[in-house]
Amino acid sequence: MNYAIAPSPTVSLPIHGSEQRFPIRRVFCIGRNYADHAREMGATIDKETPMFFCKPADAVVTDGGPVPYPQATSDLHHEVEMVVALGSGGKDIAADQAQALVWGYGVGLDLTRRDLQAVAKAKSHPWDVAKGFDHSAPVSALVPAAQAKPDAGTVLRLTINGSVRQQATLGDMVHNVGEIIAALSKLFELKAGDLIFTGTPAGVAALQRGDSFHAELEGIATLDGKVV
């Protein structure tokens, strides 16, 4: 292929215990998927209409790399989430068939410029600039689904500088993984390489330059990093 400019490299994630990597196509996120987080944000949940947004693939921070404090904000917030990687896709997928699409699992942070989000909400504007900025999606190495079986009792946790900020079990999710995939597939044709951030529990708060974080999907995946 003869390109006018050099194409950007494919963004990819490491695979736990393998030299292979997982190429990223799209990054989907669900909002308000833990009731306690919705309450702390003063929001309500419409279970019949899940709320989705996207981040660009090149917003993903891989391999435990440093996270630069973003421009245009003074209120950067952490949101720890289980991340699901798809190995296949489709449209209008039934929830009871959706699990078969899952290639693997990881843990990540949906970083948010909360001050810009507040302005967008007040003006009924989209959240793109609050959510889809550079380096806004640190993600761990992925663990193949054949080796990892998160369930309702699996703990999702985030510590900042050694102190627990967020903790919940996956059973607290409003929509489970199958329901999230099914709902997304009614809006987009899902494909191999898609990542899905599955929502965050209560406890979101500000990050400062120099903060170290440890995110954990207990017994499955961990992510360590630092805001610089």
Side-chain angles (χ1 to χ4, degrees), residues 4-218:
I5 60 172
S8 299
T10 299
V11 182
S12 64
L13 283 169
I15 297 168
H16 183 72
S18 172
E19 294 183 358
Q20 293 184 315
R21 295 183 68 89
F22 184 89
I24 301 169
R25 176 180 174 265
R26 287 183 175 180
V27 180
F28 298 101
C29 309
I30 184 171
R32 302 173 185 171
N33 200 33
Y34 287 78
D36 57 356
H37 173 58
R39 285 193 295 269
E40 77 176 347
M41 299 304 295
T44 58
I45 294 172
D46 180 357
K47 192 170 184 347
E48 300 305 312
T49 310
M51 187 191 71
F52 296 107
F53 57 93
C54 296
K55 292 176 181 272
D58 64 4
V60 173
V61 179
T62 72
D63 301 280
V67 177
Y69 196 95
Q71 64 195 87
T73 186
S74 58
D75 196 19
L76 175 68
H77 277 211
H78 56 72
E79 299 189 9
V80 66
E81 312 202 6
M82 177 174 68
V83 178
V84 173
L86 300 187
S88 59
K91 299 179 182 178
D92 299 317
I93 299 158
D96 60 359
Q97 299 176 346
Q99 197 69 40
L101 277 61
V102 176
W103 186 91
Y105 300 92
V107 65
L109 298 184
D110 165 18
L111 297 178
T112 303
R113 295 193 282 203
R114 193 71 74 197
D115 43 2
L116 299 190
Q117 186 186 40
V119 171
K121 286 181 176 180
K123 296 183 178 181
S124 298
H125 288 179
W127 296 1
D128 298 58
V129 298
K131 291 287 193 178
F133 54 94
D134 298 340
H135 314 290
S136 62
V139 180
S140 70
L142 297 176
V143 178
Q147 303 170 23
K149 302 295 182 187
D151 57 28
T154 300
V155 174
L156 178 67
R157 182 184 298 114
L158 176 69
T159 61
I160 304 296
N161 302 325
S163 298
V164 176
R165 290 271 188 94
Q166 293 182 267
Q167 182 168 305
T169 61
L170 300 185
D172 294 329
M173 292 196 299
V174 176
H175 304 274
N176 63 32
V177 170
E179 292 167 342
I180 293 169
I181 292 172
L184 267 175
S185 74
K186 291 176 172 57
L187 298 169
F188 306 92
E189 181 178 4
L190 301 177
K191 293 187 178 182
D194 289 340
L195 296 184
I196 303 173
F197 279 67
T198 59
T200 196
V204 301
L207 287 167
Q208 308 298 331
R209 293 172 179 84
D211 282 348
S212 295
F213 58 82
H214 175 78
E216 182 179 7
L217 185 61
E218 194 171 57

